[in-house]
Amino acid sequence: MTNHFLDLKDMPSEILWHILDIAKVWKDARRGLPSGVLDEGAPLAGHTLAMIFEKSSTRTRISFEMAMRQLGGTSLVLQGNTMQLGRGETIEDTAKVISGYVDAVMVRADHHNTAVELASKGSVPVINALTDRSHPCQLMADMLTIKEHFGSIQGRKMAWMGDGNNVATSLMEAAVKYDFPLTLACPGEYSPNAEVLAWAREHGGDVSVTIDPFAATKGAHVVFTDTWISMGDDDKDARMDALAPFQVNDALMQFAEPNAIFLHCLPAHRGEEVTASVIDGPQSLVWAAAENRLHAQKAILGWCLGKI
Ligand code: CP
Ligand code: NVA
């Protein structure tokens, strides 16, 4: 069986916990080393990751590239629009051809089905590095950050503010897999994926949705938000109006636990979904979470390639 990392909902919970444990062990093991030095034993020596980007990226591209280097492997960056894929070659043909060259594929795709089809038609592991549906790698970094900060994830109350987007979908799936209560505060027009919400509840998730940001934040240990306009969204004006009441600011953070932390996958828009006072303030762990993309993804790669 090929170890794809497409969505948290498809992953057994014990494997997701194992990935976090290994991420922490590997992170601690290389503390203080320069960024380019190989990890002990170079577990992915001789392995190559192809990275297909149909959308922009800063963190994902650099962190996956450095993850492969530190693990002793190499990576190839491929822009979707410069591949034949961008001129109509089928995903199936692309998947078969790439599988003959590289050991794993990472894809940031406009449409979730591209990632699913690359996985089903190829023969190497495929990692979802953001689609219009979900962003599971981001949530692994967030979970690692929360575990490091609080020492635990289970039972920590979490709140999502604003757009019920791809990151919110992966957060709902994480709530089931890592067993924490989650409330999402979203306007009706931009409410979270209804199928995923139903799935979460069917699988025992304590996941609720409200239009009241203050009620959602009350007693939260972690407050999340994300941009109001994701890549591919074209209804900017309507979004700005509908999402304005969901801004994470000092008044909202007052409703959270006094030791609450703030997370945002980045890129951020200060003055829109979050104020500078919050994202640049003492409760923000956004930089730690961004660094943890590297550490979490190293363990994801290790799992996909059968090394952990
Ligand atoms: N959070 C995240 O995925 O960032 P990039 O879009 O810069 O990769
Ligand atoms: N929701 C955002 C996340 C960016 C990392 C987007 O899809 O553009």
Side-chain angles (χ1 to χ4, degrees):
M1 204 182 101
T2 311
N3 284 348
H4 301 298
F5 191 83
L6 290 177
D7 270 315
L8 300 183
K9 73 169 175 25
D10 304 327
M11 299 287 297
S13 190
E14 57 273 19
I15 290 176
L16 291 175
W17 282 109
H18 180 57
I19 289 172
L20 281 196
D21 288 344
I22 297 296
K24 183 66 178 151
V25 169
W26 286 358
K27 178 178 177 178
D28 288 345
R30 64 169 298 118
R31 197 177 298 282
L33 292 179
S35 62
V37 171
L38 298 192
D39 282 10
E40 195 181 335
L44 295 191
H47 290 72
T48 301
L49 173 74
M51 306 197 287
I52 302 174
F53 286 96
E54 293 184 338
K55 302 186 188 201
S56 305
S57 170
T58 295
R59 281 143 288 271
T60 303
R61 176 182 166 168
I62 301 170
S63 56
F64 265 107
E65 203 160 335
M66 290 309 297
M68 285 305 289
R69 282 194 207 185
Q70 291 179 4
L71 294 170
T74 54
S75 56
L76 305 169
V77 175
L78 308 165
Q79 298 299 334
N81 61 357
T82 63
M83 296 173 70
Q84 299 290 9
L85 195 57
R87 296 180 59 245
E89 185 169 18
T90 66
I91 298 165
E92 176 166 359
D93 290 359
T94 306
K96 286 177 181 163
V97 170
I98 291 188
S99 295
Y101 299 142
V102 302
D103 303 287
V105 175
M106 183 233 83
V107 62
R108 171 163 284 196
D110 290 328
H111 305 293
H112 189 70
N113 191 50
T114 301
V116 172
E117 208 176 333
L118 279 172
S120 66
K121 300 293 174 23
S123 56
V124 297
V126 173
I127 299 172
N128 169 4
L130 185 147
T131 67
D132 54 345
R133 179 189 190 278
S134 52
H135 196 2
C137 292
Q138 179 64 47
L139 261 296
M140 294 303 283
D142 293 340
M143 292 297 117
L144 179 58
T145 308
I146 291 164
K147 190 161 189 280
E148 284 180 331
H149 183 78
F150 288 115
S152 63
I153 299 172
Q154 278 165 301
R156 294 277 162 201
K157 191 172 184 296
M158 308 207 193
W160 173 269
M161 294 300 123
D163 187 15
N165 64 12
N166 46 3
V167 180
T169 287
S170 290
L171 179 60
M172 290 192 282
E173 296 182 356
V176 172
K177 299 293 177 172
Y178 287 107
D179 191 21
F180 57 84
L182 169 67
T183 306
L184 302 100
C186 308
E189 316 86 289
Y190 301 109
S191 54
N193 183 318
E195 274 177 33
V196 177
L197 179 62
W199 171 88
R201 288 172 172 168
E202 277 161 25
H203 289 79
D206 181 357
V207 180
S208 51
V209 179
T210 174
I211 55 167
D212 181 347
F214 297 97
T217 307
K218 195 165 185 316
H221 298 105
V222 186
V223 179
F224 292 83
T225 194
D226 187 14
T227 179
W228 289 339
I229 299 149
S230 285
M231 294 179 276
D233 289 338
D234 51 16
D235 51 345
K236 182 168 189 260
D237 292 343
R239 286 176 163 274
M240 298 294 274
D241 289 346
L243 290 158
F246 297 84
Q247 183 188 66
V248 179
N249 51 35
D250 293 319
L252 185 70
M253 289 302 286
Q254 289 294 318
F255 284 74
E257 284 292 291
N259 66 345
I261 61 169
F262 170 74
L263 289 175
H264 186 311
C265 65
L266 305 174
H269 306 80
R270 289 169 177 76
E272 294 180 15
E273 74 273 8
V274 61
T275 57
S277 59
V278 172
I279 195 170
D280 300 319
Q283 291 174 286
S284 173
L285 288 189
V286 298
W287 314 118
E291 187 196 322
N292 276 339
R293 292 292 305 276
L294 168 67
H295 304 296
Q297 285 156 200
K298 286 167 74 173
I300 293 168
L301 287 162
W303 176 76
C304 287
L305 290 162
K307 304 297 180 186
I308 66 168

